[in-house]
Amino acid sequence: NAGVTQTPKFRVLKTGQSMTLLCAQDMNHEYMYWYRQDPGMGLRLIHYSVGEGTTAKGEVPDGYNVSRLKKQNFLLGLESAAPSQTSVYFCASRSVWNSPLHFGNGTRLTVT
Amino acid sequence: GNSVTQMEGPVTLSEEAFLTINCTYTATGYPSLFWYVQYPGEGLQLLLKATKADDKGSNKGFEATYRKETTSFHLEKGSVQVSDSAVYFCALSSGPGGGADGLTFGKGTHLIIQP
């Protein structure tokens, strides 16, 4: 009963390095989301997808790119990491536009 | 735009005390409302939801009633336990894209229950 799986769980990057965070869901959900969580800021939407092959910008998209080549996977890329991207990143999915979100356990990223 | 306001805390209570966490919202149309809970080191889990005015969501002893007239969705529990210690998020679903762009979250309320 995996649900939403995020890899890796932890990562430390140096400024300027790149990386990709992977999100996989096994619930056949159409909608997938990437959020970042920062102290005192709650959760802020980075990018989202309403189906395979689609992506859209959220509230804080700058410095990130995403891809949804397969329905079950949603990748978040950082091309040139900055200390301001130090955060906990959460992936979420849902079946229809107004249903609850199912979250992964997060990726804690530190950029030095 | 949509927004959710909730008390940030931390809120510290003794075991068996009554809990209220206030949540008010601003939204166009008729949003669905949610409470999520986050335990340390974990992702958010749905606690309860309500999809229309006067609906009451309930789960694990927690309740919240969708009050359209006061644009509120306050979370309550009659007798809290140490295991309820967590961060609680109020959220709504009704974005410009009809809700496809996810949920709008409050900043979270850190709840600490002391034995």
Side-chain angles (χ1 to χ4, degrees):
Chain A
N1 199 15
V4 179
T5 303
Q6 292 183 233
T7 53
K9 289 182 170 52
F10 303 94
R11 186 71 186 269
V12 178
L13 289 179
K14 295 187 187 302
T15 298
Q17 287 185 321
S18 63
M19 77 163 294
T20 300
L21 282 67
L22 172 63
C23 175
Q25 53 95 2
D26 62 1
M27 297 171 284
N28 202 34
H29 285 172
E30 290 292 336
Y31 298 82
M32 296 188 74
Y33 304 84
W34 277 107
Y35 287 89
R36 59 178 290 173
Q37 184 179 27
D38 302 291
M41 302 293 290
L43 276 81
R44 293 181 291 170
L45 182 65
I46 305 171
H47 286 280
Y48 66 99
S49 168
V50 300
E52 181 178 316
T54 76
T55 63
K57 293 181 179 180
E59 180 186 357
V60 289
D62 294 343
Y64 305 95
N65 57 75
V66 288
S67 65
R68 183 104 181 263
L69 299 180
K70 293 183 179 181
K71 185 176 183 179
Q72 63 268 34
N73 295 337
F74 195 29
L75 279 62
L76 178 71
L78 287 73
E79 290 186 348
S80 180
S84 60
Q85 294 177 304
T86 293
S87 187
V88 180
Y89 291 86
F90 287 100
C91 177
S93 70
R94 62 184 182 185
S95 55
V96 295
W97 68 271
N98 209 26
S99 58
L101 290 175
H102 297 259
F103 282 84
N105 282 338
T107 295
R108 183 173 294 276
L109 175 66
T110 302
V111 183
T112 62
Chain B
N2 297 336
S3 66
V4 175
T5 302
Q6 61 179 110
M7 50 201 300
E8 292 186 33
V11 174
T12 303
L13 296 172
S14 298
E15 205 166 22
E16 299 184 2
F18 184 86
L19 168 71
T20 299
I21 300 177
N22 290 337
C23 171
T24 57
Y25 68 89
T26 302
T28 55
Y30 301 94
S32 293
L33 301 173
F34 306 86
W35 276 101
Y36 281 81
V37 59
Q38 184 181 31
Y39 299 103
E42 298 183 9
L44 281 70
Q45 304 172 24
L46 178 67
L47 182 59
L48 53 84
K49 66 175 182 177
T51 57
K52 61 183 187 297
D54 300 324
D55 267 2
K56 177 185 283 188
S58 61
N59 186 26
K60 299 180 181 179
F62 291 89
E63 293 184 340
T65 301
Y66 187 164
R67 301 287 188 199
K68 194 170 186 342
E69 64 277 11
T70 55
T71 61
S72 65
F73 193 53
H74 304 323
L75 183 68
E76 296 181 336
K77 186 175 185 183
S79 176
V80 293
Q81 306 300 312
V82 172
S83 57
D84 293 327
S85 298
V87 181
Y88 292 81
F89 291 90
C90 184
L92 68 83
S93 178
S94 177
D101 54 348
L103 303 183
T104 299
F105 287 89
K107 293 185 178 181
T109 300
H110 187 195
L111 176 65
I112 301 169
I113 306 301
Q114 297 178 333

